[in-house]
Amino acid sequence: MVGNGAPAGATPGTANVTRLTLLAPLDGWATPLDEVPDPVFAQRMMGEGLALDPTGATLRAPCDGVVLTVHRARHAVTLRADCGVEILMHVGLETVALGGRGFTVHVAEGALVRAGDALIDFDMDLLAREAKSLLTPLIVAGGPAATVVEVRTGAPVRAGEVLLTLLVQGDGAASAATGERTQSAEQSVVLPLVHGLHARPSAVLAAAAKPYAASVFLAAQGRRANAKSAVAAMSLGLRHGDALTVLAEGEDAAAAVAAVAAAISAGLGEAPVPLAEALPVPSLPSAAVPPHDEPPVLEAQPPFAPGETAVIRAVTAAPGLALGRAFRLQEEEVEVPASGLGADAERQALANALDRVRARLAAAVAHAEEMRQTQRRDIFQAHLAILDDPDLLDEAQAAIAGGEAAGSAWRGATDRSAAALRALGNPRMAERAADLIDLRRQVMLALAGREPQPVILPQGAILVAEELMPSQLSNLDAGRLAGFCTARGGPTSHVAILAASMGVPALVAGGAAVLRIPDDAPLILDADRGLLHVQPPADDLAKLERETARRKVLAEANLKAAAADCVMADGTRIEVYTNVGKVADAVKGVAKGAEGCGLLRTEFLFLDRQTAPDEDEQAAQYQAVATALQGRPLIIRTLDVGGDKPLPYLPLPREENPILGLRGVRIGLRRPEILRTQLRAILRVRPVGQCRIMVPMVATLDEVRAVRDMLDHEREALGHAPPVQLGVMVETPAAAVTADQLATEADFLSIGTNDLTQYVLAMDRGNPDLAARLDALHPAVLRLIRQTAEGAAKHGRWVGVCGALASDPAAAPLLVGLGVTELSATPPTIPDIKAALRPLDKAACVALATEALAQESAAAVRSLLARAGLTVAITEGAA
């Protein structure tokens, strides 16, 4: 059998070693990975290996083994050799885009193959026409540490000829050679985690396995991962209901397997949900799943010429508007030798560097704890956990044992782990890869004997970079940083979370155009709209500077007048409330002139905890908000979770499209004990009558009636005689078009424009590729707002808006013209909204709305508002 040679002897600092020979899987020309025109392969992000420029059209097995995976696009296959090494073969470059065209697969996942067996046939003519390249990488992608000792490149090869020889390290080889019997154990379990094996349970899993001397692994779907490594466990991509096997080898193997299996069955710190209790959800065909295995390459382009204007669309990471000049952040280059000074010296060098970075991270955690910056603390604690990840350390140590320098070994280990997370097809996991790259950079700086150099920012700098790391952002002077825009990144990355906590406007995923921005170029960063204006004309820039200064003066005047009620010039009364997420928001809202709270998001009580809040805790928190409002009306939205807001103690079935699944009122009716507890807590708030109740995600009249029945029952049980207003949120098109029916049961209707917009336009607001096109001023959304107001008016019900559109002062006259009489906004915008409406009369707003409804696009509506001069009239009238 090919690949099961005898042990090759011990290598200093390692366990026993087995020699694995890989045969050429194709006829073709063998070439080094460095010549592959794709950095994922050329930079060894997936692993060591080589590439073949094929002259034959059949891909064959390079050794005996088992088929781990066959990619859904049929262009790639992974084998695991008998010694555990995983070999990836990827036919052509960017062939995933062919969607399987031109490929014929001869094997299935789990099949046993012998060296030379046919795996995939491919149409060379088709690939030559439509693929980036025919080059076919062969990569050592996983399994036990392996060192390439012989490789054939720069020459033609025939399928079946010796191509590559590896030395594979591992205790299993020693046992086979000596005949010693190693204790082993295994146990099969089913993953009971509704949200899969993500970061937090992976860390709990690793903590459960680490106390045991045995080697502990998870095996699932033909792959195996070190259970003591949170990164490795996450990279399996396991989901609720997946079957897996816990395996261990060593003197305490049985105890280790029992402990880890028990921890998994218990939920790894989350509420376990047996598969039988989850509702069945149909699976989408694999072809519907977008590929994420290859990160996009940012092609180099010439910089923008002096004076050349451009507008770059990006994804909002943290809201806000900034005016400043570009400051290009260049990553510090760290050159490291490929070969080391000896295994002992390199191991010590890596240990010293890790200690230095570990000390710096521990200090950052302590400082964040002292400053009560919980998000920053959690991020750096996660970095500390990754730094001690055993798989990363083992892989780096194995590379050092094979002759690599510490820096090269650490870089290879972190890059391969980052690539594995990106390949899962989960955007959040892909964003966690940035944390690995951050730690790679910090450790390599320490290996070079250097500390991260502080970046001296000019005042008002807008930082532009390919990608920004959490450690880099945390070391910048927030007082000088006006904002930042990166070419890569995601809206839920740790950098995005830090930016929001620092109050720094930020855009991410702007693409290659961000790298074209020259140093010191004037920029306008509009993170609210996802736009970066590059080198705007001098007249526009000067106008914006004057406008910014003028708005500052007028904003002060607006604030002075904000305490008074909002009454329009013709006497029309518009209530301007505030959105609240915690007690402090209510205090801020009152200070800015809020006349009440139009939306209390009760999720703040339910998130980031392992058990649901009881009735007493909820009642105390709602009472605190009511007290902070000083008697003003308080509209409390019942729990709105599900979709993108999962709770560990509220098990829900796995859903292919959770945004269309169990959300809002649907969960309340499915788990009535949670909704009843919340209703009782709200009814206990004093004074009686201050609170109103609002139900989220309503789509049908029977949902309103069901909640009304619950509310009436709890009122009677508490002896709460006065009626309580019950309203609904209009977030679905169904609710908007049947508003006249809902108004027969609901006392008021409040429009959530964020969700309504995504459902009307069929665009997921969590999708960064669609974020720039998701605009609540689209005429289709505006027409549903008008239909809601007309339906409510038939029964004398009032209509409010509590979504993001209500916080746009320029949109306030338009909403009033559509029939809205209450706006619930963020505290900072309240003075400007009141100032926007006071100089106007209702008839002018109705005329504006009529014209807006006739427009063809959101952009046309925005142009209409600008032509109407409302923004200018707003601020000047308020002054």
Short mmCIF file of all heavy atoms in Angstrom, two decimals, residues 222-262:
data_model
loop_
_atom_site.label_atom_id
_atom_site.label_comp_id
_atom_site.label_asym_id
_atom_site.label_seq_id
_atom_site.Cartn_x
_atom_site.Cartn_y
_atom_site.Cartn_z
N GLY A 222 -16.05 12.74 7.92
CA GLY A 222 -14.79 12.37 7.29
C GLY A 222 -13.61 13.23 7.67
O GLY A 222 -12.54 13.12 7.09
N ARG A 223 -13.77 14.10 8.66
CA ARG A 223 -12.67 14.97 9.09
C ARG A 223 -12.44 14.77 10.57
O ARG A 223 -13.31 14.30 11.31
CB ARG A 223 -12.99 16.43 8.79
CG ARG A 223 -13.21 16.72 7.32
CD ARG A 223 -13.56 18.18 7.11
NE ARG A 223 -12.48 19.03 7.56
CZ ARG A 223 -12.63 20.31 7.90
NH1 ARG A 223 -13.82 20.85 7.89
NH2 ARG A 223 -11.60 21.02 8.30
N ARG A 224 -11.24 15.17 11.03
CA ARG A 224 -10.88 15.02 12.43
C ARG A 224 -10.21 16.29 12.91
O ARG A 224 -9.45 16.92 12.17
CB ARG A 224 -9.94 13.83 12.61
CG ARG A 224 -9.77 13.42 14.07
CD ARG A 224 -9.10 12.08 14.18
NE ARG A 224 -7.67 12.17 14.03
CZ ARG A 224 -6.81 11.25 14.48
NH1 ARG A 224 -7.27 10.17 15.09
NH2 ARG A 224 -5.52 11.38 14.30
N ALA A 225 -10.49 16.66 14.16
CA ALA A 225 -9.92 17.88 14.72
C ALA A 225 -9.53 17.64 16.17
O ALA A 225 -10.17 16.86 16.88
CB ALA A 225 -10.92 19.04 14.64
N ASN A 226 -8.51 18.33 16.60
CA ASN A 226 -8.04 18.27 17.98
C ASN A 226 -9.08 18.91 18.90
O ASN A 226 -9.38 20.10 18.77
CB ASN A 226 -6.71 19.01 18.09
CG ASN A 226 -6.11 18.95 19.48
OD1 ASN A 226 -6.70 18.40 20.40
ND2 ASN A 226 -4.93 19.52 19.63
N ALA A 227 -9.62 18.15 19.82
CA ALA A 227 -10.65 18.68 20.71
C ALA A 227 -10.11 19.69 21.70
O ALA A 227 -10.88 20.45 22.30
CB ALA A 227 -11.33 17.53 21.47
N LYS A 228 -8.80 19.73 21.89
CA LYS A 228 -8.19 20.70 22.80
C LYS A 228 -7.95 22.04 22.13
O LYS A 228 -7.44 22.96 22.77
CB LYS A 228 -6.89 20.14 23.36
CG LYS A 228 -7.08 18.88 24.19
CD LYS A 228 -5.76 18.34 24.73
CE LYS A 228 -5.99 17.06 25.54
NZ LYS A 228 -4.74 16.50 26.09
N SER A 229 -8.28 22.13 20.87
CA SER A 229 -8.09 23.36 20.09
C SER A 229 -9.44 23.94 19.71
O SER A 229 -10.18 23.35 18.92
CB SER A 229 -7.26 23.07 18.83
OG SER A 229 -7.37 24.14 17.91
N ALA A 230 -9.77 25.11 20.25
CA ALA A 230 -11.04 25.75 19.90
C ALA A 230 -11.07 26.11 18.42
O ALA A 230 -12.11 26.00 17.77
CB ALA A 230 -11.25 27.00 20.75
N VAL A 231 -9.95 26.56 17.87
CA VAL A 231 -9.90 26.92 16.45
C VAL A 231 -10.18 25.70 15.58
O VAL A 231 -10.95 25.74 14.63
CB VAL A 231 -8.54 27.55 16.10
CG1 VAL A 231 -8.43 27.77 14.60
CG2 VAL A 231 -8.37 28.87 16.83
N ALA A 232 -9.53 24.57 15.93
CA ALA A 232 -9.73 23.36 15.15
C ALA A 232 -11.17 22.87 15.25
O ALA A 232 -11.77 22.44 14.25
CB ALA A 232 -8.77 22.27 15.61
N ALA A 233 -11.73 22.92 16.44
CA ALA A 233 -13.12 22.48 16.61
C ALA A 233 -14.08 23.34 15.79
O ALA A 233 -14.99 22.82 15.14
CB ALA A 233 -13.50 22.51 18.09
N MET A 234 -13.89 24.65 15.81
CA MET A 234 -14.75 25.53 15.01
C MET A 234 -14.64 25.21 13.53
O MET A 234 -15.61 25.29 12.79
CB MET A 234 -14.36 27.00 15.25
CG MET A 234 -14.98 27.63 16.47
SD MET A 234 -14.77 29.44 16.45
CE MET A 234 -13.00 29.57 16.59
N SER A 235 -13.41 24.87 13.09
CA SER A 235 -13.17 24.67 11.67
C SER A 235 -13.91 23.46 11.11
O SER A 235 -14.03 23.31 9.90
CB SER A 235 -11.68 24.53 11.38
OG SER A 235 -11.18 23.32 11.89
N LEU A 236 -14.44 22.59 11.98
CA LEU A 236 -15.24 21.48 11.49
C LEU A 236 -16.59 21.95 10.94
O LEU A 236 -17.23 21.25 10.16
CB LEU A 236 -15.49 20.46 12.62
CG LEU A 236 -14.29 19.60 13.04
CD1 LEU A 236 -14.66 18.75 14.24
CD2 LEU A 236 -13.82 18.73 11.90
N GLY A 237 -17.03 23.12 11.40
CA GLY A 237 -18.30 23.67 10.89
C GLY A 237 -19.51 22.84 11.28
O GLY A 237 -20.49 22.77 10.54
N LEU A 238 -19.50 22.23 12.46
CA LEU A 238 -20.60 21.35 12.87
C LEU A 238 -21.86 22.15 13.20
O LEU A 238 -21.79 23.22 13.79
CB LEU A 238 -20.18 20.51 14.07
CG LEU A 238 -19.02 19.53 13.83
CD1 LEU A 238 -18.69 18.78 15.10
CD2 LEU A 238 -19.37 18.56 12.70
N ARG A 239 -23.01 21.56 12.86
CA ARG A 239 -24.29 22.22 13.08
C ARG A 239 -25.19 21.34 13.95
O ARG A 239 -24.88 20.18 14.22
CB ARG A 239 -24.96 22.50 11.74
CG ARG A 239 -24.09 23.33 10.79
CD ARG A 239 -24.71 23.49 9.43
NE ARG A 239 -25.88 24.35 9.47
CZ ARG A 239 -26.60 24.66 8.39
NH1 ARG A 239 -26.29 24.16 7.22
NH2 ARG A 239 -27.65 25.46 8.50
N HIS A 240 -26.29 21.92 14.37
CA HIS A 240 -27.22 21.21 15.24
C HIS A 240 -27.68 19.90 14.60
O HIS A 240 -28.08 19.86 13.44
CB HIS A 240 -28.44 22.10 15.52
CG HIS A 240 -29.44 21.47 16.42
ND1 HIS A 240 -30.77 21.38 16.11
CD2 HIS A 240 -29.31 20.89 17.64
CE1 HIS A 240 -31.42 20.78 17.08
NE2 HIS A 240 -30.56 20.48 18.02
N GLY A 241 -27.56 18.82 15.37
CA GLY A 241 -27.99 17.53 14.88
C GLY A 241 -26.92 16.72 14.18
O GLY A 241 -27.16 15.55 13.84
N ASP A 242 -25.75 17.30 13.96
CA ASP A 242 -24.67 16.55 13.31
C ASP A 242 -24.15 15.46 14.24
O ASP A 242 -23.97 15.68 15.45
CB ASP A 242 -23.51 17.48 12.93
CG ASP A 242 -23.83 18.31 11.69
OD1 ASP A 242 -24.82 17.98 11.00
OD2 ASP A 242 -23.10 19.26 11.40
N ALA A 243 -23.89 14.29 13.68
CA ALA A 243 -23.31 13.19 14.45
C ALA A 243 -21.80 13.33 14.44
O ALA A 243 -21.19 13.70 13.44
CB ALA A 243 -23.71 11.84 13.83
N LEU A 244 -21.18 13.06 15.58
CA LEU A 244 -19.73 13.11 15.67
C LEU A 244 -19.26 12.04 16.64
O LEU A 244 -20.03 11.52 17.45
CB LEU A 244 -19.23 14.49 16.12
CG LEU A 244 -19.59 14.95 17.53
CD1 LEU A 244 -18.49 15.83 18.08
CD2 LEU A 244 -20.90 15.74 17.51
N THR A 245 -17.99 11.73 16.58
CA THR A 245 -17.38 10.74 17.46
C THR A 245 -16.25 11.40 18.24
O THR A 245 -15.42 12.11 17.66
CB THR A 245 -16.83 9.55 16.67
OG1 THR A 245 -17.90 8.98 15.92
CG2 THR A 245 -16.24 8.50 17.60
N VAL A 246 -16.25 11.19 19.54
CA VAL A 246 -15.14 11.64 20.39
C VAL A 246 -14.17 10.48 20.52
O VAL A 246 -14.56 9.37 20.92
CB VAL A 246 -15.64 12.08 21.78
CG1 VAL A 246 -14.48 12.61 22.62
CG2 VAL A 246 -16.74 13.13 21.65
N LEU A 247 -12.90 10.70 20.15
CA LEU A 247 -11.89 9.66 20.22
C LEU A 247 -10.74 10.14 21.10
O LEU A 247 -10.45 11.34 21.14
CB LEU A 247 -11.33 9.32 18.83
CG LEU A 247 -12.33 9.02 17.72
CD1 LEU A 247 -12.49 10.26 16.85
CD2 LEU A 247 -11.85 7.87 16.87
N ALA A 248 -10.08 9.21 21.77
CA ALA A 248 -8.92 9.57 22.58
C ALA A 248 -7.93 8.42 22.57
O ALA A 248 -8.31 7.25 22.48
CB ALA A 248 -9.34 9.91 24.01
N GLU A 249 -6.66 8.77 22.70
CA GLU A 249 -5.57 7.80 22.79
C GLU A 249 -4.63 8.25 23.89
O GLU A 249 -4.18 9.39 23.90
CB GLU A 249 -4.82 7.71 21.46
CG GLU A 249 -5.68 7.20 20.30
CD GLU A 249 -4.92 7.21 18.98
OE1 GLU A 249 -3.78 7.71 18.97
OE2 GLU A 249 -5.47 6.74 17.98
N GLY A 250 -4.36 7.35 24.82
CA GLY A 250 -3.49 7.68 25.94
C GLY A 250 -3.94 6.96 27.19
O GLY A 250 -4.97 6.27 27.21
N GLU A 251 -3.19 7.15 28.27
CA GLU A 251 -3.44 6.35 29.47
C GLU A 251 -4.79 6.66 30.12
O GLU A 251 -5.37 5.83 30.79
CB GLU A 251 -2.31 6.58 30.47
CG GLU A 251 -2.15 8.04 30.90
CD GLU A 251 -0.97 8.24 31.83
OE1 GLU A 251 -0.12 7.33 31.91
OE2 GLU A 251 -0.91 9.29 32.48
N ASP A 252 -5.28 7.88 29.94
CA ASP A 252 -6.59 8.22 30.52
C ASP A 252 -7.63 8.45 29.42
O ASP A 252 -8.52 9.29 29.55
CB ASP A 252 -6.49 9.44 31.43
CG ASP A 252 -5.86 10.65 30.74
OD1 ASP A 252 -5.48 10.52 29.55
OD2 ASP A 252 -5.73 11.71 31.39
N ALA A 253 -7.51 7.70 28.33
CA ALA A 253 -8.38 7.89 27.17
C ALA A 253 -9.85 7.72 27.52
O ALA A 253 -10.70 8.52 27.09
CB ALA A 253 -7.98 6.93 26.05
N ALA A 254 -10.18 6.68 28.28
CA ALA A 254 -11.59 6.43 28.59
C ALA A 254 -12.20 7.57 29.38
O ALA A 254 -13.33 8.01 29.10
CB ALA A 254 -11.71 5.11 29.36
N ALA A 255 -11.45 8.06 30.36
CA ALA A 255 -11.96 9.17 31.17
C ALA A 255 -12.11 10.44 30.32
O ALA A 255 -13.09 11.20 30.48
CB ALA A 255 -11.03 9.44 32.35
N ALA A 256 -11.16 10.67 29.42
CA ALA A 256 -11.22 11.86 28.57
C ALA A 256 -12.44 11.81 27.66
O ALA A 256 -13.18 12.81 27.53
CB ALA A 256 -9.95 11.97 27.74
N VAL A 257 -12.67 10.67 27.03
CA VAL A 257 -13.82 10.54 26.14
C VAL A 257 -15.12 10.73 26.90
O VAL A 257 -16.04 11.43 26.45
CB VAL A 257 -13.79 9.17 25.43
CG1 VAL A 257 -15.14 8.87 24.79
CG2 VAL A 257 -12.70 9.14 24.38
N ALA A 258 -15.21 10.12 28.09
CA ALA A 258 -16.43 10.24 28.88
C ALA A 258 -16.71 11.70 29.25
O ALA A 258 -17.85 12.17 29.17
CB ALA A 258 -16.33 9.38 30.13
N ALA A 259 -15.65 12.41 29.65
CA ALA A 259 -15.83 13.80 30.07
C ALA A 259 -16.22 14.70 28.91
O ALA A 259 -17.13 15.54 29.02
CB ALA A 259 -14.54 14.31 30.72
N VAL A 260 -15.55 14.54 27.78
CA VAL A 260 -15.82 15.40 26.64
C VAL A 260 -17.20 15.09 26.05
O VAL A 260 -17.97 16.00 25.72
CB VAL A 260 -14.72 15.25 25.57
CG1 VAL A 260 -15.11 16.00 24.29
CG2 VAL A 260 -13.40 15.78 26.11
N ALA A 261 -17.54 13.81 25.93
CA ALA A 261 -18.85 13.44 25.41
C ALA A 261 -19.96 13.96 26.32
O ALA A 261 -21.00 14.44 25.84
CB ALA A 261 -18.95 11.93 25.26
N ALA A 262 -19.74 13.88 27.63
CA ALA A 262 -20.74 14.39 28.57
C ALA A 262 -20.89 15.90 28.44
O ALA A 262 -22.01 16.44 28.51
CB ALA A 262 -20.35 14.02 30.00
#
